[in-house]
Amino acid sequence: MDHITFLVAVVIVTALAFDFTNGFHDTANAMATSIATGALKPRTAVLVSGVLNIVGAFLSTEVAKTVSGGIVDDTLVSPGMIFAGLVGAILWNLLTWLVGLPSSSSHALFGGLIGAVWVGAGSHGVHFDKVVEKILIPAVASPLVAGAAALLAYRITARAREKSVTKGFRLGQIASASLVSLAHGTNDAQKTMGVITLTLISAGALGHDAGPPVWVIASAGLAIGLGTYLGGWRIIRTMGKGLTDIQSPQGFAAEAASTTVILTSAHLGFALSTTQVCSGGILGAGLGRRLAEVRWGTAGRMVIAWLVTLPAAALVGGVSASVVKHGGNLGTAVIALVAVAVATSIVLASRRNPVHATNVNDTHEVTVRATTPTHVGTAA
């Protein structure tokens, strides 16, 4: 425990805060379609998803090892760099949540870390070959694979009797959405495990190439589970109502395809974006039903967000790392205060147009209004 300095403790807490934002940012991946079709009630859906995210965190550590020892050189990384990278990831998560955009929490984290390590240790601190192999290639391939699989799965049931199909697939959605939640825990919770493990390695508390200790696995799983239960209703609305008019067969097809892709990638150690996979599945199911069912304007905004997530988070992480590197403890404190101020402003802005469990299925657009609405609700 002598290696756990105050800065290391701050980084661990910040990593768990990112994990929490990852949870509510990505709840939509598992439950948006089930909520949109009525297969599960909103509060039941997020509770089931939260519990299964915790369970999934204990199933594998391959992705965690990719993060802790794959994309950056753990011999050159300092806790201050990791803190700076986490700041970039958290702020991007909150900003995209505010506008209801299902961007990638994973790429926000990777971008923040890459930018911070690049500035703090130089370009040789980043393993760009691993970034391409483990992050960029899966980022392109995974939503296409999930979309194609969902389109095929939906087409198989397209000519069956609508009443029978709807009833059967609503029941099937409960299982498929649960599996997506479980898969999400095996993939996204591990990324925070990897960050904390990397921090402990950089502080000398763990040896190089070490896996995450049990307490790291448990705390990361709990943080993402609690974040998932909070709901992330703004992004649930976009994915459930904004991309296509989801019906039960489409929802099941999208979730089944996404689960297969996510679990396979977790086994192989590919740290892909579950958001991109699930969005690809939803779009594929929408195309399988009818081309006009896809709202390409929303899909286009999502793709733009995907493209800019990694470089945007890298920029914030790099700037933060520069301040921490040259300012020492004072620089770290300044970055922490600025991050808290920006995060607070985003949360306050979200209360101007709250989205919650009771109105998540009302419309397919999330906007931030300047005036206070007449109804009262809890923003999440």
Side-chain angles (χ1 to χ4, degrees), residues 124 143 263 265 361:
H124 56 284
L263 286 177
S265 69
N361 282 334

Side-chain angles (χ1 to χ4, degrees), residues 74-86:
D74 59 18
T75 63
L76 300 176
V77 174
S78 69
M81 296 177 202
I82 299 172
F83 171 74
L86 288 167

Side-chain angles (χ1 to χ4, degrees), residues 186-273:
T186 66
N187 198 284
D188 279 44
Q190 287 190 60
K191 292 158 190 170
T192 298
M193 294 178 211
V195 169
I196 296 176
T197 302
L198 180 60
T199 303
L200 296 173
I201 291 172
S202 69
L206 291 175
H208 295 297
D209 299 323
V214 174
W215 70 266
V216 173
I217 297 173
S219 59
L222 184 61
I224 201 169
L226 289 174
T228 300
Y229 179 68
L230 185 64
W233 305 109
R234 307 175 84 83
I235 298 177
I236 289 175
R237 174 183 284 183
T238 300
M239 288 188 72
K241 295 292 184 179
L243 282 176
T244 184
D245 295 320
I246 291 289
Q247 295 182 354
S248 294
Q250 290 172 285
F252 179 83
E255 290 160 359
S258 299
T259 300
T260 303
V261 173
I262 294 168
L263 286 177
T264 301
S265 69
H267 178 71
L268 296 173
F270 291 151
L272 53 72
S273 165

Side-chain angles (χ1 to χ4, degrees), residues 21-326:
T21 67
N22 191 351
F24 75 72
H25 197 280
D26 288 4
T27 308
N29 297 345
M31 292 298 173
T33 56
S34 295
I35 292 172
T37 63
L40 286 169
K41 293 187 179 299
R43 282 295 179 191
T44 302
V46 296
L47 175 61
V48 170
S49 185
V51 171
L52 290 174
N53 264 277
I54 296 173
V55 174
F58 287 88
L59 296 183
S60 172
T61 58
E62 291 303 315
V63 174
K65 293 175 183 177
T66 295
V67 175
S68 63
I71 63 174
V72 295
D73 187 341
D74 59 18
T75 63
L76 300 176
V77 174
S78 69
M81 296 177 202
I82 299 172
F83 171 74
L86 288 167
V87 167
I90 291 172
L91 293 182
W92 183 257
N93 266 0
L94 290 174
L95 179 62
T96 50
W97 162 76
L98 175 65
V99 297
L101 269 180
S103 69
S104 171
S105 297
S106 303
H107 290 174
L109 175 61
F110 299 142
L113 284 177
I114 290 169
V117 172
W118 196 340
V119 170
S123 60
H124 56 284
V126 181
H127 296 153
F128 289 103
D129 57 334
K130 292 294 183 182
V131 172
V132 173
E133 176 189 352
K134 297 287 189 178
I135 299 175
L136 297 184
I137 292 177
V140 175
S142 58
L144 297 177
V145 172
L151 188 154
L152 178 61
Y154 179 76
R155 280 294 188 185
I156 292 173
T157 63
R159 296 184 180 181
R161 291 193 330 180
E162 183 175 349
K163 185 176 180 179
S164 299
V165 166
T166 298
K167 183 178 179 180
F169 276 110
R170 279 196 175 183
L171 294 174
Q173 269 196 281
I174 298 175
S176 61
S178 298
L179 285 173
V180 175
S181 297
L182 191 70
H184 186 266
T186 66
N187 198 284
D188 279 44
Q190 287 190 60
K191 292 158 190 170
T192 298
M193 294 178 211
V195 169
I196 296 176
T197 302
L198 180 60
T199 303
L200 296 173
I201 291 172
S202 69
L206 291 175
H208 295 297
D209 299 323
V214 174
W215 70 266
V216 173
I217 297 173
S219 59
L222 184 61
I224 201 169
L226 289 174
T228 300
Y229 179 68
L230 185 64
W233 305 109
R234 307 175 84 83
I235 298 177
I236 289 175
R237 174 183 284 183
T238 300
M239 288 188 72
K241 295 292 184 179
L243 282 176
T244 184
D245 295 320
I246 291 289
Q247 295 182 354
S248 294
Q250 290 172 285
F252 179 83
E255 290 160 359
S258 299
T259 300
T260 303
V261 173
I262 294 168
L263 286 177
T264 301
S265 69
H267 178 71
L268 296 173
F270 291 151
L272 53 72
S273 165
T274 54
T275 300
Q276 293 181 359
V277 173
C278 294
S279 300
I282 292 172
L283 286 171
L287 287 170
R289 183 180 175 195
R290 202 165 56 241
L291 184 62
E293 295 294 337
V294 175
R295 297 185 180 95
W296 292 108
T298 301
R301 289 194 295 272
M302 285 174 53
V303 171
I304 292 172
W306 294 351
L307 292 175
V308 302
T309 290
L310 197 148
L315 178 62
V316 177
V319 171
S320 300
S322 180
V323 175
V324 170
K325 180 179 180 180
H326 295 98

